Amino acid sequence: MAEHFDIIIIGGGPAGLTAAIYARRAGKTVLLLEKEGFGGQIASSPNVENFPGFPSISGAELADRLYDQACGLGAQIDLEEVLEVQDGSIKTVSTDYGSYSCTALILATGMKHRTLGLPGEDALSGISFCAVCDGAFYAGKDVVVCGGGNTALQDALFLSELCRHVTVIHRRTDFRGDPILVERLQRLENVSFILPAEVVGLHSQDSVLTGLVLQDTISGTRSNLAVSGLFEAVGQLPEQRLAASLVPVDADGFVPAGENCLTPAKGIFVAGDCRSKEVRQLTTACADGAVAALAACKYCSNT
Ligand code: NAP
């Protein structure tokens, strides 16, 4: 028979780990399932400067701390991919390792990287979505960061310390990311900007990226830029496969829920970036985790 937990949390990012902390402190049995790595996207953020109480902390350290805290409180945390969930008064969660059951389920499945969708993008080496993971491969080389959000700006700052030159390419002249990061980049001698422009093609030799085709988004003028690495930081899309099989999702694939994070499905809660909402920040992911966990605990106690 499948091992039973009061609450199963799917997703080991800040929302899921915070939910585990709150649910354990409320005395519930908790299983957290994560398919890749703990900490979600924040784990690859070079430097987090807007998490209250931590003026500056690496995303990896923050992720480790969240993981240790949830583990220390007795949450069972496993690296397993959830393949299917069967809804009912008792829910069954099937993974690539086995099956578990629970009374309440929290979906904290987060987001995945958006890609530029360029021909050859998947097959070339020299294209990365994680500056912290891959930056060292480009030490002393020229790289491009594409995007105008905080991820792109933080990545460019991180890479500027390793690479010979970093070019930030963004499709608008206004940045979506924090002005304080733009100003910091503008002061660096080995960082330049090409704005407003898009990457519209890739040059390669022997399956290795050698350059980019750029297009000015106003004039349409095209140019070539020789680079060793392209870091794509063009936002994320919700991980919707599992959610969509259980609850209604909106046109963009996010899960609508009220302020208590309860979905229309009984006993299924949603927390973090995969929830339909205005502000997607580390702090709001953690807030969702707490709210969803407390609502799920109440649901378990009343069921
Ligand atoms: P984001 O804020 O959604 O920014 C994505 C960027 O990519 C935008 O500038 C967008 O351009 C551009 N873009 C999207 N599709 C594109 C395409 N097809 N071609 C070219 N450019 C494209 O994503 P993010 O930077 O990953 O940040 C996600 C969230 O995490 C944000 O709320 C951010 O503040 C947060 N975050 C926080 C930290 C931190 O240190 N606390 C670090 C990283 C991220 P437009 O602006 O023109 O739409």
Side-chain angles (χ1 to χ4, degrees), residues 41-42 45-51 57 111 113-117 146-155 169-178 181 197-199 233-236 273 278-283:
Q41 292 172 59
I42 204 66
S45 183
N47 193 21
V48 179
E49 295 178 340
N50 56 6
F51 194 65
I57 184 169
M111 313 260 279
H113 296 295
R114 179 186 282 129
T115 67
L116 288 171
C146 183
N150 278 330
T151 301
L153 300 174
Q154 289 278 14
D155 283 359
I169 293 173
H170 176 39
R171 63 185 178 183
R172 293 186 296 126
T173 46
D174 288 336
F175 283 90
R176 190 176 287 269
D178 297 341
L181 300 177
E198 282 177 314
V199 179
V234 291
Q236 288 97 31
D273 283 358
E278 274 291 311
V279 181
R280 291 195 173 78
Q281 291 287 312
L282 183 53
T283 43

Side-chain angles (χ1 to χ4, degrees), residues 4 15 43-44 56 61-62 103 163 191 206 229 246 260 270 285 294 301:
H4 185 82
S44 55
S56 172
E61 187 186 345
L62 195 57
T103 306
C163 301
V191 174
D206 300 329
L246 290 167
N260 58 359
V270 61
L294 294 175
S301 301

